[in-house]
Each structure stands twice: as structure tokens, then as C-alpha cells.
Amino acid sequence: MERAGKGMKMDLKSRRHAVSDLAGAMELCYTNGWTDGLPVVPPTAERIGAMLEAAALEPGRELSFIENRQVSVTAEKVAINAVMAGCKAEYMPVVVAAVEALADPLYGYHGPATSTGGSAVFMLVNGPIARELDLNCGDNLFGPGWRANATIGRAVRLIMRNVIGTLPGELDRSSLGHPGKYTYCIAENEQESPWPPLHATRGFRSDQNAVTVFAALAPHQYSNGLSSTPEGILTTACAHMRISAGAGRQPQYALVFAGEHTAIMKKAGWSREDVQRYCFEHASSPRAELKRYHMMAGDPAPGDEYEMYTVVESPQDFLVIAAGGSAGVQSAFIPGWGDKRGSQSVTREIHRP
């Protein structure tokens, strides 16, 4: 992508609004439906310019084109919404990479964004930038408390709303949704992980910066304080996944292992591929069971009691991630939206000037 240099002149095209004070600016955003329900930071020309300069982008540069919506997402619009979300300027390259990933045909923006299924954009940040920006990869992983996590994820959702037009009740037809639709951004705990960083398994070097986007349902937490082996922990995980939202559809799944569970994996010498293989072999159910639970169409047929159906198509469809607090016997899995024909995870490099 061609990028501009530092100190460039900003020729902003967006419409300007005159307000009397900060409160008036915030109320204007509410009145015009530009917020996610929470207050936003007024996007002044100075703040927008700082965002664009941090990523060395001209305002008119097209970052992505959402085919189904025929919408061009420009750097200026991304910067505006990053300001509104509360991002620092140095977060802008991460937001840009995520927006680029959303337009990838493999992600398939239209399906997960408009479905009644209620997925959110889960974002995983890898590389040195995660530590430099203080992205949380530990305690309270999916909870509040970290500006970078909260505002980067929020910026992407505001862009979906304000630029692409994915509005609740209109193009966003979620029946229930989940809190990740406010923000759903974490970093991987690369320093404590027993495995190489996730992006290193997807064609990037460990020292590169990258973001992975994934159309995801809510995290499902499970506990296992009884097992001291990977097999024990993963048996619990698989038991939960067999009757989870993705069962019978075969989307991708993210498996997020927190500190005590990753320590057990590390002590046993289990690789990421070992975890994937074990879960692929054990997170499966007889077709008859899925039909009895009305998670698969039709009545049980002869042979269905013995024909096993896996929750994913291949072991590589488990995205194995080390993140979460160092204490506690909890981990989580995150089912993907729909199936792989509708959406797959996408990883993009984060470019910084």
C-alpha cells in the first residue's frame, strides 16, 4: 500500500459541524446515530490529522472496499472513527490492518455482519506492537480496563456502523448479539506461551506485527482444576464444544488457554499441533446425537449412531491461543459464526511508518 510521508497536508473531505461546546458535540453524535450507545470523542481536524499521520496515510486513500455494500472505506473515515472510539494516534496502524482484513473475501463481511447469528469481530494482535501499545493479554482478558484493547476494537465496530452502514435492526440483524460487539480485541501472551505466536503459523515472522480478525460468537468459559495433564484439560474443553453453538456447522474455533492450563501444556511438551489433533479427534459427536438435539436436520438414520461428526473440518481450524491470567483454572473456546464457506479468520500485517 502506498503511504504518505510525515508532515503531509491534510485535505479532509468530510462534512464539518459547528457546535458550542464539548457537551454539544457529544449530543450531536447521539442525535445523528454515530455512537454505539456510549459517549464518543469529538473528531476534530487536529485529532483526525494526528491519526492519519501516525499511519502515514493520505485522507483519501482507500483502505478497503466492501463488495456487498459497494462501500469504499477511506483512511479519513477510519481516522474519524478511531478518534471517536478514544484511540491514541499510535493505535491507528492496528485499526487500519483490521479494516483491510474485513474486506478479504475469505472473511466474507456481508454474512457475519448482517446475519441474525450475532457475531462480532474478534481481533488478536501479535508481535512487538502489542507490548508497545500495552494491549492486554493477561488478567481480565475479555473484560474492561485497558485503553488499547477497548478502543481499537471499538473503532472497528464504529467503522462498521458509521462507514459501512451496519446498523442494529437494519443491516445488522442480530437476534441477540453479545458484548463483544462493543469491542473484542486481545493480544496473545507470547512471552509466556508454550507455542510460537499464532501469526507465525500463518506466514509471518515472529518479529512482525499482525492482527487476526475472526467472525466470532461470545467466549465460552470452562473450568478444570482436577487435571494435571493436557489430555484432562482438553477432554473438558471438548465436552463443552460438542454441544456448543458451532456444533453441526463446522466453523473455525478459537481456543484460548490461560496461564495454569498453558503451564501444564508446556510441562508436558505439547505443541499447538498436538492440541489441534487431540481436539479434532475428541470434539466430535455421533450424527444421531446431533439430530436428536435438533442441531442437525433430519431423523437419525441407520449408521448415524456410529458416524462421527467433528466440530471443525480440519485440525488447523482450531486457532490455539495463549492468553489470560496466570492464576486460575479457567480457559475458553470461541465458536466462529456460520461455517467456513461463509467466513474464515484472516491475518494482516500491521504496517507502521
Side-chain angles (χ1 to χ4, degrees):
M1 178 187 298
E2 182 183 346
R3 293 172 185 267
K6 292 278 189 178
M8 57 201 171
K9 181 181 179 181
M10 298 296 175
D11 183 18
L12 303 179
K13 301 295 186 183
S14 298
R15 181 181 175 186
R16 299 178 184 235
H17 299 264
V19 293
S20 57
D21 55 20
L22 176 61
M26 292 169 63
E27 287 303 319
L28 177 71
C29 292
Y30 276 114
T31 299
N32 285 285
W34 298 332
T35 86
D36 51 10
L38 296 172
V40 295
V41 177
T44 62
E46 181 181 3
R47 291 171 181 151
I48 297 165
M51 285 287 172
L52 291 167
E53 189 160 318
L57 287 169
E58 293 283 3
R61 173 67 56 189
E62 182 178 273
L63 300 180
S64 62
F65 186 79
I66 307 301
E67 187 70 33
N68 293 88
R69 297 294 304 136
Q70 290 293 292
V71 171
S72 174
V73 182
T74 65
E76 179 177 341
K77 297 299 185 182
V78 169
I80 289 170
N81 285 276
V83 170
M84 293 171 68
C87 289
K88 291 183 177 181
E90 53 262 41
Y91 302 169
M92 179 68 170
V94 184
V95 178
V96 167
V99 169
E100 291 172 342
L102 290 183
D104 191 300
L106 280 178
Y107 184 82
Y109 180 89
H110 184 72
T114 63
S115 167
T116 58
S119 72
V121 181
F122 170 76
M123 299 168 53
L124 176 72
V125 181
N126 280 110
I129 195 171
R131 294 181 292 278
E132 293 168 19
L133 299 183
D134 192 29
L135 274 151
N136 183 30
C137 65
D139 295 326
N140 204 34
L141 183 67
F142 295 110
W146 276 261
R147 181 177 180 178
N149 299 61
T151 61
I152 291 171
R154 188 188 186 199
V156 171
R157 174 55 57 174
L158 287 176
I159 291 161
M160 293 172 65
R161 177 189 183 93
N162 295 329
V163 185
I164 306 172
T166 310
L167 297 170
E170 296 181 23
L171 288 175
D172 178 353
R173 301 296 297 173
S174 297
S175 298
L176 296 172
H178 65 85
K181 295 185 79 169
Y182 275 103
T183 183
Y184 208 1
C185 177
I186 66 169
E188 186 167 21
N189 187 352
E190 298 178 14
Q191 292 179 306
E192 303 296 330
S193 175
W195 312 300
L198 183 73
H199 70 311
T201 70
R202 313 191 112 201
F204 296 89
R205 301 188 313 272
S206 295
D207 63 350
Q208 285 181 289
N209 298 311
V211 61
T212 299
V213 301
F214 175 49
L217 304 183
H220 294 244
Q221 181 175 299
Y222 61 90
S223 297
N224 182 330
L226 303 176
S227 299
S228 58
T229 65
E231 292 94 337
I233 293 165
L234 296 178
T235 295
T236 303
C238 291
H240 284 264
M241 283 192 284
R242 281 198 293 268
I243 56 169
S244 61
R249 296 184 178 184
Q250 293 187 317
Q252 293 180 311
Y253 274 66
L255 308 182
V256 183
F257 295 99
E260 291 193 26
H261 287 170
T262 57
I264 289 171
M265 306 283 182
K266 187 174 185 177
K267 182 178 180 180
W270 272 47
S271 67
R272 176 179 273 117
E273 291 73 23
D274 291 330
V275 173
Q276 291 171 323
R277 281 192 295 268
Y278 188 94
C279 290
F280 185 73
E281 293 169 4
H282 294 85
S284 58
S285 302
R287 283 182 177 270
E289 184 174 274
L290 293 173
K291 290 179 177 181
R292 282 194 293 268
Y293 292 163
H294 306 290
M295 300 170 78
M296 183 177 285
D299 296 321
D304 280 352
E305 296 289 353
Y306 308 102
E307 185 177 351
M308 304 301 288
Y309 193 82
T310 56
V311 297
V312 295
E313 289 184 359
S314 72
Q316 292 71 36
D317 289 324
F318 288 114
L319 311 181
V320 178
I321 300 163
S326 59
V329 291
Q330 292 77 35
S331 288
F333 65 89
I334 304 172
W337 170 87
D339 59 37
K340 282 178 63 181
R341 290 180 297 277
S343 184
Q344 297 181 39
S345 58
V346 172
T347 303
R348 281 286 181 277
E349 184 178 2
I350 299 167
H351 294 281
R352 290 192 291 182

